[in-house]
């Protein structure tokens, strides 16, 4: 496709890049959704469990956990309710500060993640395994640069 044809389809190079990013996200997310659907999870719930596994045997305050998610969770309480109902996480209120709710992963949550480890790795290979290591590094760097001016705290989850 010539540069002139692309210009007519897109208002700017920024729009073309953004719409390509959006299209790529949508296609790659479908693969991920299909995987998590089999386990009755959302990608966001998986992300919570993955973060909690990283803190195990410790716990994390709810608001700290919410800040570390890849995507904002407007109703983290409801998401945690669902995970708790399945026995995958537990909540604790410290005696010295009842306003804080600490979240920890349960043995059942750890077991579920163990079962998901290989399928999640395979999902990543299905999504991006056709790219070389150098291309993946370049893509990661470009995506970081693209979002950097819009992130309050880049180190929150990366």
């Amino acid at each position: 496709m010539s540069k002139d044809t692309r210009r007519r389809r897109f208002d700017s190079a920024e729009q073309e890049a953004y719409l390509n990013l959006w299209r790529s996200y949508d296609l790659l997310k479908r693969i991920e959704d299909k995987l998590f659907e089999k386990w009755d999870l959302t990608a966001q719930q998986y992300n919570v469990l993955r973060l909690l596994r990283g803190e195990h045997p410790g716990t994390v305050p709810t608001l700290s956990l919410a800040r570390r998610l890849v995507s904002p969770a407007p109703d983290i309480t409801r998401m945690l309710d669902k995970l708790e109902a399945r026995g995958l996480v537990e909540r604790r209120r410290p005696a010295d500060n009842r306003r804080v709710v600490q979240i920890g992963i349960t043995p059942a949550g750890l077991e579920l993640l163990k079962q998901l480890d290989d399928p999640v790795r395979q999902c990543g290979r299905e999504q991006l395994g056709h790219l070389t290591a150098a291309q993946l590094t370049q893509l990661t760097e470009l995506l970081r640069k693209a979002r950097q001016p819009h992130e309050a705290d880049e180190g929150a989850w990366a």
Side-chain angles (χ1 to χ4, degrees):
M1 178 179 301
S2 75
K3 194 185 269 187
D4 289 337
T5 304
R6 279 199 314 266
R7 279 198 193 123
R8 283 181 284 202
R9 291 181 52 202
F10 302 101
D11 293 339
S12 64
E14 293 85 0
Q15 182 188 55
E16 181 178 11
Y18 176 76
L19 292 175
N20 271 288
L21 180 62
W22 187 1
R23 175 77 175 147
S24 298
Y25 166 79
D26 186 62
L27 291 169
L28 299 174
K29 178 103 174 80
R30 288 182 208 171
I31 297 167
E32 180 180 74
D33 288 344
K34 196 166 130 182
L35 166 70
F36 291 126
E37 203 173 84
K38 295 175 187 174
W39 301 88
D40 194 28
L41 280 178
T42 65
Q44 191 77 303
Q45 289 171 330
Y46 170 78
N47 190 27
V48 165
L49 293 172
R50 186 187 61 80
L51 290 169
L52 292 173
R53 176 171 59 183
E55 297 294 328
H56 185 73
T59 59
V60 180
T62 303
L63 295 179
S64 174
L65 180 63
R67 281 192 296 272
R68 291 173 56 196
L69 294 174
V70 174
S71 299
D75 196 354
I76 186 129
T77 301
R78 191 168 71 207
M79 182 175 19
L80 292 172
D81 287 345
K82 290 178 180 180
L83 292 171
E84 187 177 36
R86 291 181 60 185
L88 302 174
V89 302
E90 60 186 2
R91 292 177 169 128
R92 297 184 201 126
R93 289 186 184 270
D96 61 331
N97 188 350
R98 303 289 296 160
R99 292 177 297 157
V100 173
V101 178
Q102 295 287 125
I103 310 299
I105 192 166
T106 64
L110 290 169
E111 179 57 34
L112 177 60
L113 286 180
K114 186 177 175 184
Q115 293 173 30
L116 277 165
D117 283 342
D118 286 337
V120 167
R121 275 191 289 277
Q122 180 56 39
C123 180
R125 285 190 291 271
E126 183 179 347
Q127 290 168 315
L128 298 171
H130 58 286
L131 300 175
T132 66
Q135 289 170 325
L136 290 169
T137 298
Q138 183 180 24
L139 177 61
T140 299
E141 286 305 312
L142 286 171
L143 291 171
R144 280 189 183 132
K145 285 180 182 181
R147 74 172 183 270
Q148 188 275 325
H150 310 288
E151 270 188 326
D153 179 12
E154 184 177 341
W157 69 269

